[in-house]
Amino acid sequence: EGFMTPYLELMIEPLHRVITEALSEVDELRKKRRQLESDPADLANDVMQILEDRCGTDEFLKAYATVKTKAREKRDTRKREAAAEAVHDPQVLDIRQSKRSSLYK
């Protein structure tokens, strides 16, 4: 419906983030827990389907494409900034990598 169209991107962004995070999870404990509990990505997919049904496929797809593009741009910007920081201050990179590696141990 027309009143929701201006807010579609705001509603889709967190749903997209939940789905993306669920797809990228590799932690075995989370996989086991998902088998026991309902997956948050399932709920996010259901809500997105309701939004598409209410707003129409064309409007939904435009908003979803915009959200995906913005997410990709944010990710690329973070990668560029991290690479530039690694060049300018390698000690910060070493600290970040050691913190990250200690999380996985």
Side-chain angles (χ1 to χ4, degrees):
E1 302 187 10
F3 71 93
M4 286 185 2
T5 304
Y7 307 103
L8 265 178
E9 288 179 30
L10 292 172
M11 292 185 279
I12 292 173
E13 184 177 352
L15 298 170
H16 178 261
R17 187 171 40 248
V18 167
I19 293 168
T20 304
E21 288 173 359
L23 291 174
S24 66
E25 279 295 327
V26 294
D27 188 342
E28 289 299 319
L29 295 176
R30 297 212 57 161
K31 287 181 183 179
K32 289 178 184 176
R33 195 176 85 206
R34 280 193 198 139
Q35 292 172 357
L36 301 175
E37 300 175 7
S38 63
D39 189 4
D42 292 339
L43 178 60
N45 281 321
D46 292 344
V47 172
M48 287 184 52
Q49 184 61 49
I50 291 169
L51 289 174
E52 183 178 357
D53 293 344
R54 291 295 219 112
C55 296
T57 302
D58 290 337
E59 292 299 322
F60 177 82
L61 289 178
K62 285 179 193 175
Y64 188 60
T66 302
V67 167
K68 286 177 67 172
T69 301
K70 286 180 182 179
R72 187 179 322 107
E73 288 172 355
K74 277 184 180 179
R75 185 174 56 246
D76 292 344
T77 300
R78 281 194 307 268
K79 285 182 180 181
R80 275 194 307 276
E81 288 172 355
E85 185 180 42
V87 169
H88 296 308
D89 195 355
Q91 291 175 341
V92 173
L93 177 65
D94 290 340
I95 293 169
R96 183 180 295 136
Q97 286 178 342
S98 65
K99 284 181 182 179
R100 190 178 301 155
S101 67
S102 67
L103 287 174
Y104 291 114
K105 289 182 180 180

